[in-house]
Amino acid sequence: MARPFRPFAVTRAGPNDHLGVLLSTYATSVILAATEGHEGEGGFHTPSISDFFPSAILFEGTVFQIDRIWIIRIIATLVLLSVFVIAARRAKVVPGRFQAGVEYLLSFVRVQIGEEILGKENAKRFVPMLTTIFLSILAFNVTSVIPGLNLAGTSRIGIPLLLALWVFVTYWAVGIRKHGLGGYLKANLFPPGVPWPIYFILTPIELLQLLIIRPGSLAVRLVANMVAGHIMLVLCFAATQFFVVDSAGTGLMAFGVLTLPAGIFVTLFELLVAFLQAYIFALLAAVYINMSLEEEH
């Protein structure tokens, strides 16, 4: 009979103790979200979508309900604000490592996203927005690999959808201000050089792009990547905990040789994905705004 899965205990003494303690400090904090809601059940528990809807901590059943993901978002926001407040107060002509790191991030968004896509003149108007989007998503994404948090603040649709709507309103407002409502719709829904019968197919597709596909793809892409990353992390480390700690002394321990390196690799890969998703979201926001500013599409 398989022994019950106890993620918070090292059950055997001996040469496996140090590995068990190491797993307890990181791996068990990773699988906290996966085991939440499974108290009292035995065996190995795989992660599920229910991990992203933890029990309410405050104001249960109201529109102000706060759960674990909201706490993670608040922590990430406070840390992000603290970093920039400290950097601003300690700013020097010759920057130290901390200031240089913050300035690099700001410069990256301004040059590699804003100026690269929008040009220097237009970028000045939108760099604050693009910087806010990039840094917010990056901060919320990185919480997925921080022990004790282990969930991305963007792993539920609310924040990604809010940012996508911000982009949606911006590129519509910019386009209408530049071309007028009629000119903006004409340029997007009836692109020049297309045989008129094709407009019966093309125009509805372009309208869907303006209204749904662009903002929807921004939000869904971000959520899907962070959900998938969390599930892979939890699966690898929960399996390692089960094979190495709870199944110590059995033939199942050998599988931990595979799952532990896999978990470390997925952690590093998740850090890369956290950065890439923030970059892609901000980059596409700049692209959509630039399309609204162009004379022809």
Side-chain angles (χ1 to χ4, degrees):
M1 180 180 298
R3 293 194 296 172
F5 177 39
R6 296 186 296 275
F8 296 101
V10 179
T11 55
R12 289 178 180 263
N16 295 316
D17 268 0
H18 294 298
L19 180 58
V21 171
L22 178 63
L23 290 173
S24 295
T25 58
Y26 183 75
T28 59
S29 64
V30 171
I31 62 174
L32 176 63
T35 57
E36 188 172 324
H38 295 294
E39 292 86 350
E41 299 177 21
F44 171 71
H45 298 290
T46 57
S48 68
I49 296 300
S50 64
D51 299 345
F52 305 97
F53 300 92
S55 302
I57 298 173
L58 295 171
F59 313 122
E60 184 175 2
T62 71
V63 294
F64 304 105
Q65 177 173 306
I66 295 178
D67 58 21
R68 184 163 167 254
I69 287 187
W70 269 110
I71 297 296
I72 290 171
R73 289 169 175 170
I74 292 169
I75 292 172
T77 302
L78 292 176
V79 170
L80 183 61
L81 292 175
S82 298
V83 166
F84 282 92
V85 168
I86 294 170
R89 289 183 174 179
R90 297 182 179 179
K92 298 178 181 179
V93 176
V94 180
R97 292 182 181 179
F98 177 72
Q99 182 181 336
V102 172
E103 290 179 356
Y104 174 79
L105 286 175
L106 297 176
S107 177
F108 175 82
V109 178
R110 177 176 57 82
V111 176
Q112 299 300 323
I113 299 178
E115 294 180 0
E116 186 73 21
I117 302 299
L118 295 163
K120 287 190 176 182
E121 289 303 316
N122 288 327
K124 293 177 182 177
R125 298 164 53 191
F126 301 105
V127 161
M129 172 188 177
L130 297 175
T131 302
T132 301
I133 287 174
F134 175 81
L135 293 177
S136 297
I137 293 175
L138 181 60
F140 290 144
N141 286 355
V142 167
T143 60
S144 64
V145 296
I146 296 177
L149 301 181
N150 303 118
L151 271 174
T154 49
S155 59
R156 247 178 10 210
I157 196 67
I159 296 296
L161 185 59
L162 182 63
L163 295 174
L165 289 175
W166 187 12
V167 175
F168 169 81
V169 170
T170 300
Y171 72 71
W172 268 84
V174 166
I176 293 172
R177 185 178 303 168
K178 179 73 180 286
H179 307 288
L181 179 59
Y184 178 65
L185 291 176
K186 180 181 178 181
N188 281 276
L189 303 184
F190 302 95
V194 177
W196 70 265
I198 303 299
Y199 286 132
F200 289 105
I201 300 174
L202 184 60
T203 298
I205 294 174
E206 293 295 330
L207 183 61
L208 281 175
Q209 279 211 72
L210 284 175
L211 294 175
I212 298 175
I213 295 176
R214 288 181 186 175
S217 63
L218 285 175
V220 171
R221 180 189 298 107
L222 177 56
V223 171
N225 276 276
M226 302 321 296
V227 166
H230 172 78
I231 289 175
M232 291 172 64
L233 272 174
V234 172
L235 190 60
C236 288
F237 283 117
T240 302
Q241 173 85 8
F242 178 72
F243 291 138
V244 176
V245 178
D246 294 302
S247 300
T250 70
L252 294 176
M253 286 188 65
F255 290 103
V257 176
L258 301 176
T259 57
L260 180 58
I264 295 171
F265 172 79
V266 171
T267 300
L268 298 175
F269 184 71
E270 186 72 355
L271 281 173
L272 176 62
V273 170
F275 177 84
L276 284 178
Q277 288 305 310
Y279 173 70
I280 290 170
F281 199 110
L283 182 71
L284 288 177
V287 168
Y288 296 155
I289 293 170
N290 188 59
M291 291 174 67
S292 295
L293 291 170
E294 290 177 342
E295 295 297 333
E296 294 184 359
H297 301 282

